[in-house]
Amino acid sequence: HDALPILAELLNQFKAISVREEAGKRIVESITDKKAKVLVDPTIVLDKEQWINIEKKPKNYEKNFIACYLLGNHSNQLLNDLYEYAKNNDKELIRFEDEHDIERNYSHNDYDLNPSHFVWAMHNCDKIITDSFHAVVFALIFSKPFIVISRPVNELGDMNSRFEQLASTFDIKDYFTDNNSFDKKAVVDYEKVKKIIENKRKEFIVFLKNSLTE
């Protein structure tokens, strides 16, 4: 709260402000005299082919795998359950390392994966299991089955408002799991999603052009 006056002063210097969530819009408009525009995450503004153009296949990885991208500090039991789930479904689990994997105990392969590899994995996996907003964005871009695992309670970096905005925008249902229903999949009409993405891209570009030329 001590930073709000400083934040308000700085935001008031902008000619145009966009945010990703209604929650962000309410905050901006409550502390400034500016209007905020809710737009999709910039990741969505690039189309599928543009993302495919930068992807790169990691060495020794083949298809028929589950992409797992977890940023929360989840329990060892959950991670073991994920590997068991993949094994029982005759799939490999490609798990991207994070700050909580200092000892790398849960990696089958000690590979260095860069952003191009990440995009390849999102594009070529059979399913995405994640607690990351952007992994879900890529699931929508590539029309992939996905499920979201809740982050541990009271952990910093809670993403619920972002997920709620995404779910509302794209009419996604049942995307959260109770951390042991890995067979569950979010209910998504991907033909509808493609049309919404196209409209949201146009809205984003119009806002950007208007903001830069006013």
Side-chain angles (χ1 to χ4, degrees):
H1 291 288
D2 293 340
L4 284 180
I6 299 173
L7 182 60
E9 180 182 355
L10 294 173
L11 286 173
N12 272 321
Q13 296 177 28
F14 283 84
K15 291 199 306 182
I17 298 173
S18 67
V19 294
R20 288 181 293 193
E21 307 137 45
E22 289 292 339
K25 175 182 172 68
R26 290 193 294 271
I27 292 170
V28 169
E29 294 181 353
S30 69
I31 65 173
T32 73
D33 57 7
K34 298 286 186 179
K35 292 291 183 182
K37 177 74 172 178
V38 178
L39 297 174
V40 290
D41 187 89
T43 311
I44 295 175
V45 181
L46 294 180
D47 64 28
K48 177 180 176 180
E49 296 307 316
Q50 288 173 301
W51 283 114
I52 290 174
N53 284 340
I54 70 165
E55 72 179 30
K56 184 177 180 181
K57 183 179 178 295
K59 294 180 180 179
N60 302 321
Y61 279 140
E62 300 300 333
K63 293 188 177 181
N64 194 34
F65 66 89
I66 297 168
C68 180
Y69 184 46
L70 299 175
L71 299 177
N73 190 12
H74 297 281
S75 69
N76 290 354
Q77 183 60 55
L78 174 69
L79 304 178
N80 287 330
D81 289 346
L82 280 167
Y83 280 109
E84 189 68 21
Y85 167 73
K87 180 180 177 182
N88 291 338
N89 285 274
D90 297 319
K91 299 183 188 300
E92 183 178 358
L93 189 77
I94 291 184
R95 182 155 180 267
F96 293 88
E97 305 298 337
D98 58 54
E99 63 180 313
H100 303 297
D101 275 331
I102 297 173
E103 297 180 2
R104 304 173 71 88
N105 290 332
Y106 297 95
S107 294
H108 285 172
N109 303 293
D110 190 19
Y111 298 134
D112 290 323
L113 299 177
N114 64 33
S116 294
H117 297 145
F118 177 83
V119 176
W120 179 89
M122 297 294 105
H123 179 209
N124 290 281
C125 66
D126 294 329
K127 184 177 183 179
I128 297 170
I129 297 178
T130 189
D131 63 4
S132 160
F133 169 85
H134 283 102
V136 175
V137 167
F138 277 109
L140 297 177
I141 292 171
F142 292 125
S143 302
K144 291 293 179 178
F146 73 90
I147 199 68
V148 176
I149 293 177
S150 300
R151 289 187 183 177
V153 177
N154 297 326
E155 182 169 302
L156 291 175
D158 177 79
M159 304 293 286
N160 284 357
S161 65
R162 286 190 188 178
F163 285 126
E164 289 166 3
Q165 184 70 46
L166 206 62
S168 174
T169 300
F170 295 101
D171 193 23
I172 301 169
K173 299 179 178 66
D174 299 329
Y175 53 96
F176 272 116
T177 181
D178 58 4
N179 291 3
N180 59 20
S181 301
F182 304 131
D183 274 322
K184 184 179 176 182
K185 290 186 289 189
V187 179
V188 186
D189 181 345
Y190 277 111
E191 288 306 312
K192 181 178 179 180
V193 164
K194 289 176 184 177
K195 294 177 183 178
I196 295 173
I197 285 178
E198 186 58 34
N199 289 333
K200 293 297 181 180
R201 281 182 183 137
K202 291 176 181 177
E203 182 183 32
F204 187 103
I205 296 301
V206 167
F207 174 86
L208 187 60
K209 287 181 176 178
N210 289 342
S211 300
L212 293 174
T213 56
E214 287 180 355

